[in-house]
Amino acid sequence: MTAKPESSNIKQWFRKRFNKWLNQRIPASHKQSLGNKNIFIVPTKFGYAYVFSVLILFLLGTNYQNNLIILMSYLSASVFLTSMMYSFFNLSRLQFIFNSKVTAYATQTVTIPLSIISKKPRFNISFVFEDNEKAYADMINSGESEINIPFQALTRGVNNPGRLKISSEYAFGLFVCWTHLDFACEVLTYPEKKVFNHIKQDVSDLHEELNGNTISEGGDDFGELRQYKQGESNAQIAWKQLARGQGWLTKTTQQELGSTIWLTLQQLPAAPIETKLEMLCFLILDHHKSNIPFGLELDNLQISPSTGSLHLKNCLQALALYGKGQSYSSFNVEAKH
């Protein structure tokens, strides 16, 4: 005799079948509109109790031939049907657009912005990704608005939040009207942001040994002027030279004129690969904060030494995709710190 599958396995099987059906009925798209094809509506527990009470009223009225009770049951039934129509039209013809680039650090909860276009006010709508916190909109005004939906990026790499459940129990809580939409959104997830102060001196000593140069921290002595790169700190801009019409230049300190800094996995202490990537992430953020030029080398990938926010994004993305065999739709994205 074959043992029955566990309840969790049954749920997974139904969920897999349901998601397959959803993929065919509601394909993934950055722009979604709600209508008859992608809105589902069923009574809530309160709705089922309400129907049962209406049925009891009707039976009592017919049994005792009491027209007043029968009339009350008819009125209650009409409220039930009217509530169903209001629930449906509260979501119908809503438009949603996702066109943002979202980044995060592993285990960090970020918000995914979703644009909403409505031709009339909508009420009491909730938004949630599976196994994440809900976002509520008590009222959505006519026109274009935006809501931020929480999502926790648990692992490094490119994470897909999956389908977004949009639901509402408006107007009387008798029906729940809902849909599952896939916006094909991607969350580029960097290694977890941790502090590794003990490796800063180790890396500095290693560069001193290899290059015969000491890399000082926080040096303020003026070094030279060089061409400004987009994303560099305003504090580094040579404002006097700009006012004289000499163009956009950046002031460098003496510490930036020392040896070239390369950050690699090989220079780090023995540790699991994810821990090493977290160490590199810490060093990259630390060098960026200090405006120290650095390069990154990961196996066959090499990013030349530089500074600025664009260089930071490129390095962090390299860490996010390292060893994952994944691709990301855009290379230059805006990181959330």
Side-chain angles (χ1 to χ4, degrees):
M1 185 174 179
T2 307
K4 292 183 179 181
E6 296 180 0
S7 59
S8 60
N9 293 333
I10 295 176
K11 288 181 179 179
Q12 290 178 1
W13 183 83
F14 275 109
R15 181 178 295 178
K16 185 177 180 180
R17 297 285 295 182
F18 180 65
N19 287 335
K20 184 178 180 181
W21 177 77
L22 278 178
N23 291 335
Q24 295 175 348
R25 186 176 180 86
I26 314 174
S29 175
H30 290 299
K31 184 177 181 180
Q32 301 273 9
S33 298
L34 298 187
N36 297 345
K37 190 176 180 180
N38 52 15
I39 294 179
F40 311 96
I41 182 169
V42 293
T44 60
K45 291 181 180 179
F46 173 61
Y48 282 115
Y50 184 88
V51 170
F52 182 74
S53 65
V54 171
L55 181 61
I56 293 297
L57 276 178
F58 179 77
L59 291 177
L60 287 173
T62 54
N63 185 56
Y64 293 102
Q65 298 182 354
N66 189 316
N67 292 333
L68 183 59
I69 296 178
I70 293 176
L71 178 61
M72 286 296 297
S73 68
Y74 288 161
L75 287 174
S76 299
S78 67
V79 169
F80 184 77
L81 294 176
T82 303
S83 175
M84 179 177 66
M85 300 300 293
Y86 270 93
S87 296
F88 175 80
F89 286 114
N90 190 48
L91 290 186
S92 180
R93 296 186 179 182
L94 267 177
Q95 291 185 335
F96 302 98
I97 301 174
F98 172 80
N99 54 11
S100 302
K101 301 178 182 70
V102 183
T103 64
Y105 293 91
T107 72
Q108 178 188 17
T109 298
V110 295
T111 55
I112 297 179
L114 183 67
S115 298
I116 305 173
I117 302 175
S118 176
K119 294 182 179 180
K120 64 177 183 179
R122 315 291 178 132
F123 307 93
N124 301 333
I125 301 177
S126 67
F127 304 80
V128 63
F129 289 109
E130 187 176 1
D131 299 326
N132 281 270
E133 297 179 12
K134 283 186 178 181
Y136 295 94
D138 293 330
M139 180 177 179
I140 297 175
N141 295 317
S142 57
E144 187 170 351
S145 56
E146 185 178 281
I147 188 168
N148 294 311
I149 306 159
F151 173 71
Q152 186 177 25
L154 294 176
T155 58
R156 179 180 62 86
V158 179
N159 288 288
N160 186 335
R163 288 187 174 270
L164 176 68
K165 183 178 180 181
I166 303 172
S167 62
S168 174
E169 294 185 8
Y170 179 82
F172 304 112
L174 297 174
F175 287 88
V176 55
C177 197
W178 56 277
T179 184
H180 276 174
L181 302 179
D182 188 350
F183 293 96
C185 58
E186 296 176 335
V187 178
L188 181 64
T189 309
Y190 307 141
E192 186 175 356
K193 188 188 287 187
K194 294 182 178 179
V195 177
F196 297 92
N197 286 323
H198 64 281
I199 67 170
K200 289 174 61 176
Q201 188 60 43
D202 294 341
V203 174
S204 178
D205 292 342
L206 178 62
H207 283 290
E208 180 182 352
E209 180 180 343
L210 293 176
N211 301 287
N213 253 325
T214 300
I215 303 171
S216 60
E217 294 189 17
D220 295 323
D221 294 335
F222 176 75
E224 65 178 9
L225 294 174
R226 59 175 170 79
Q227 196 66 31
Y228 170 77
K229 297 178 182 178
Q230 187 176 3
E232 290 184 322
S233 171
N234 289 338
Q236 301 295 120
I237 298 176
W239 295 106
K240 291 182 179 180
Q241 282 72 16
L242 179 62
R244 294 170 186 165
Q246 297 179 9
W248 290 85
L249 301 172
T250 298
K251 295 182 291 184
T252 60
T253 59
Q254 289 292 345
Q255 65 177 10
E256 297 179 44
L257 300 177
S259 59
T260 302
I261 299 176
W262 284 96
L263 302 179
T264 68
L265 291 171
Q266 289 72 24
Q267 66 191 204
L268 299 174
I273 186 61
E274 289 299 326
T275 303
K276 282 191 170 186
L277 292 173
E278 290 166 0
M279 292 178 180
L280 279 180
C281 182
F282 166 74
L283 291 172
I284 288 172
L285 293 174
D286 184 69
H287 283 71
H288 173 73
K289 184 179 179 180
S290 302
N291 201 40
I292 302 174
F294 67 92
L296 178 66
E297 188 174 323
L298 294 172
D299 295 343
N300 296 326
L301 174 66
Q302 191 175 88
I303 300 177
S304 301
S306 186
T307 58
S309 58
L310 179 60
H311 181 61
L312 173 68
K313 296 169 192 175
N314 292 342
C315 291
L316 289 177
Q317 176 168 303
L319 295 185
L321 301 179
Y322 178 76
K324 291 289 185 178
Q326 297 174 313
S327 61
Y328 189 63
S329 56
S330 178
F331 193 76
N332 299 325
V333 293
E334 184 173 350
K336 296 188 176 183
H337 299 284

